[in-house]
Amino acid sequence: MRVLQPVRGTHDILPEEFRLHRLIGDTGAMVASRFGFEEISTPIFEFSEVFKRTLGDSSDIVTKEMYSFEDKGGDKITLRPEGTAGVARMLISGGLAQKLPLKYFYRGPMFRYERPQKGRYRQFHQLGAELLGVSEPQADIEMIALGALVLEALAITANLKLQINTLGNMESRAAYREALIKYFSTYRSSLSVESQMRLDRNPLRILDSKEKEDRSLIENAPEFSLYLDRESQKFFEIVCEGLELLSIEYSVNQRLVRGLDYYSHTAFEFTTDELGAQGTVLAGGRYDGLVEQMGGAKVSGVGWAAGIERLGMLVEKKPEVPRPIAIIPVTHVHNELAILTAYKLRRSGLQIELAYRGNMSKRLKRANRLSACAAIFLGGDEMERGFACVRDLDSGTQMEVPLVSLVDHLGRYRL
RNA sequence: GCGAGCGUAGCUCAGCUGGUUAGAGCACCGGAUUGUGAUUCCGGGGGUCGUGGGUUCAAGUCCCAUCGCUCGCCCCA
């Protein structure tokens, strides 16, 4: 019985939901193309090492969320938990560093082994964009702008907030990290259990702890801004000015840190309070150290990803069902004519449904349920004269149309 | 991995302090209606009451375990 259920955290995507996914993916691809991004696809699994190296051994994704297995050849394989690592690997293995800068858009399933809840699943879908090979802060501005426009195109604007922060360059970040470790170590025993673990693994994470015993300690923790060198400060200023130029509203959140180790400089998150505990809708940042860390050349990168399921819960206007035209043979002797007519009309590009069961009333009802926009009745005396009855199902008006000019007459129902 | 709530038809649910053969609405299928969407009427298919064990003369109902779902923690899209 158990095998007849989908694996925990996975779902079948039926047409209604699939239309929504497609709308979101297509909208993302379309908006990204205006920025010059082209759609790509990388494998949904990689050698586990690809993710281990890029995500950092200390990240939660690697320590407990990777969906991993060994294949028949004994290779350790992991279903991708996110998209950037695969793109970085592609850059290296495809020798694409010769062709920088590169702008890639992708969409597809991602996998994380964790307890499902609202807006979080073991197999979920993301769309994302990566801009590789541009070290200037203009790239950060463009990527945030792209994210904002994708959300705007999906009409996801209510209760949406953009938060940004800077993690500085590698040197600044390392210096701040040291300072944080030093500071929190002094008060180690006062920290929450979770934060004590963070102190060893990912001290920056303590800053956005929700535990109340951490609060006052966080209040008095050293400010990141004090550890930013001039280059890092300048970089962040340019990003902020760019957002202001574009009238993209944002707030700086010094507590905003990324869970993944390879980020530097800009980190940003579009959040909503409409999804319960999962507020993050679209998030990303700069990852200048990633490609090099994987063993490639030093290549700058800025990217973001958005969860399609989460976006779907925020899209107000659901995509419409495509409306077919129904062909209804009046009696079964007209079945052959019906199937032939359907074939011809489909060849001309129309969406046709054939009704071959039940009486007229039943067939019309079924056409109605399929939200058909029109019905074509084939049979009777008008057919012998070479005509078909075409009924507009919205207005209820009906007229006789010569069979030979059906295609022309139905042109009005073309999308 | 941890915590809480919930599992009865495809969906929403009823089923009393345990007591005949487990019900309703919606949906679906057929008929009234062999050339027209509504309404109405009649009929029909559908359930191992999540699963397993226990208590009992008797369990959908009580107890235990287990699986699943949902929400939250951690973390993240």
Side-chain angles (χ1 to χ4, degrees):
Chain A
M1 195 53 102
R2 185 162 171 225
V3 297
L4 293 181
Q5 291 172 329
V7 174
R8 182 202 290 261
T10 67
H11 298 277
D12 303 308
I13 303 174
L14 277 64
E16 188 184 359
E17 194 185 351
F18 202 96
R19 279 196 297 277
L20 187 56
H21 279 218
R22 191 165 51 212
L23 170 81
I24 291 165
D26 289 352
T27 301
M30 185 258 294
V31 175
S33 74
R34 296 184 203 155
F35 285 74
F37 284 70
E38 290 198 277
E39 189 161 359
I40 55 152
S41 174
T42 64
I44 62 167
F45 51 81
E46 301 270 356
F47 292 116
S48 301
E49 196 60 24
V50 169
F51 302 109
K52 277 192 185 154
R53 245 196 262 178
T54 60
L55 298 176
D57 286 328
S58 64
S59 74
D60 264 41
I61 290 187
V62 168
T63 52
K64 63 175 194 184
E65 292 175 6
M66 291 215 309
Y67 230 114
S68 300
F69 58 93
E70 202 167 285
D71 70 13
K72 288 182 180 175
D75 287 320
K76 292 191 173 13
I77 301 296
T78 295
L79 266 25
R80 61 182 185 190
E82 52 98 40
T84 306
V87 173
R89 192 234 76 223
M90 175 186 78
L91 179 89
I92 297 169
S93 48
L96 298 172
Q98 309 295 318
K99 300 180 180 174
L100 299 172
L102 295 167
K103 300 179 186 177
Y104 292 133
F105 173 85
Y106 63 83
R107 51 178 140 173
M110 305 292 167
F111 306 84
R112 289 183 198 174
Y113 192 88
E114 51 188 353
R115 290 289 286 270
Q117 53 187 287
K118 189 182 180 69
R120 160 191 291 185
Y121 311 102
R122 284 191 176 176
Q123 176 178 344
F124 61 107
H125 299 78
Q126 282 187 338
L127 50 88
E130 314 288 352
L131 170 49
L132 296 154
V134 182
S135 54
E136 288 81 1
Q138 281 73 22
D140 305 52
I141 300 168
E142 291 259 88
M143 289 307 289
I144 295 174
L146 170 57
L149 283 190
V150 169
L151 294 170
E152 183 181 285
L154 290 167
I156 300 174
T157 48
N159 297 317
L160 196 72
K161 282 191 221 135
L162 168 62
Q163 300 187 321
I164 65 171
N165 191 25
T166 180
L167 305 171
N169 56 20
M170 296 300 178
E171 295 76 24
S172 299
R173 189 179 177 177
Y176 183 56
R177 192 186 153 100
E178 282 310 307
L180 271 188
I181 292 174
K182 197 173 166 194
Y183 169 78
F184 282 119
S185 295
T186 319
Y187 305 101
R188 185 179 192 105
S189 53
S190 312
L191 285 168
S192 64
V193 183
E194 290 80 7
S195 288
Q196 290 185 27
M197 285 168 51
R198 291 186 186 110
L199 183 52
D200 299 324
R201 291 208 316 233
N202 199 346
L204 292 188
R205 269 273 153 211
I206 298 176
L207 293 177
D208 66 350
S209 165
K210 291 163 195 154
E211 305 296 326
K212 44 183 178 297
E213 58 259 56
D214 296 340
R215 283 278 169 70
S216 59
L217 284 175
I218 293 169
E219 287 295 319
N220 298 315
E223 292 275 319
F224 205 154
S225 50
L226 299 176
Y227 290 82
L228 292 177
D229 58 23
R230 251 182 57 207
E231 183 210 323
S232 300
Q233 285 172 17
K234 183 73 187 159
F235 193 101
F236 192 52
E237 278 165 28
I238 294 172
V239 173
C240 292
E241 284 162 17
L243 295 178
E244 278 150 33
L245 176 69
L246 301 177
S247 302
I248 296 173
E249 284 183 34
Y250 68 93
S251 58
V252 175
N253 176 3
Q254 295 223 22
R255 307 270 181 265
L256 175 64
V257 291
R258 310 268 62 199
L260 311 181
D261 283 351
Y262 51 69
Y263 287 97
S264 59
H265 287 296
T266 317
F268 60 93
E269 257 178 35
F270 287 88
T271 59
T272 178
D273 50 17
E274 292 181 29
L275 294 182
Q278 275 65 240
T280 307
V281 170
L282 185 153
R286 177 169 280 274
Y287 49 88
D288 286 350
L290 172 62
V291 177
E292 193 176 25
Q293 191 176 321
M294 286 188 75
K298 184 161 172 42
V299 176
S300 300
V302 193
W304 55 251
I308 290 179
E309 285 82 358
R310 289 186 189 177
L311 292 173
M313 288 187 271
L314 296 170
V315 171
E316 297 286 341
K317 195 167 172 291
K318 304 300 179 200
E320 284 169 17
V321 186
R323 303 186 67 186
I325 293 166
I327 290 186
I328 301 179
V330 169
T331 72
H332 67 276
V333 302
H334 305 295
N335 279 352
E336 282 190 0
L337 176 65
I339 206 165
L340 176 63
T341 306
Y343 182 69
K344 285 180 180 167
L345 293 178
R346 285 164 178 159
R347 177 178 261 163
S348 83
L350 292 161
Q351 181 182 341
I352 304 298
E353 283 289 337
L354 262 180
Y356 14 58
R357 283 186 57 198
N359 57 32
M360 291 289 288
S361 172
K362 285 273 186 284
R363 296 185 197 199
L364 249 187
K365 240 184 249 184
R366 205 166 287 127
N368 214 34
R369 217 179 301 127
L370 291 165
S371 76
C373 51
I376 302 168
F377 300 98
L378 293 176
D381 57 315
E382 74 270 21
M383 197 208 79
E384 300 190 353
R385 304 197 315 271
F387 284 75
C389 265
V390 177
R391 182 181 181 85
D392 184 297
L393 292 177
D394 288 333
S395 65
T397 59
Q398 189 165 318
M399 61 191 296
E400 292 190 352
V401 176
L403 283 172
V404 290
S405 51
L406 257 185
V407 171
D408 289 340
H409 178 82
L410 295 171
R412 61 208 280 199
Y413 296 110
R414 239 174 257 277
L415 294 176

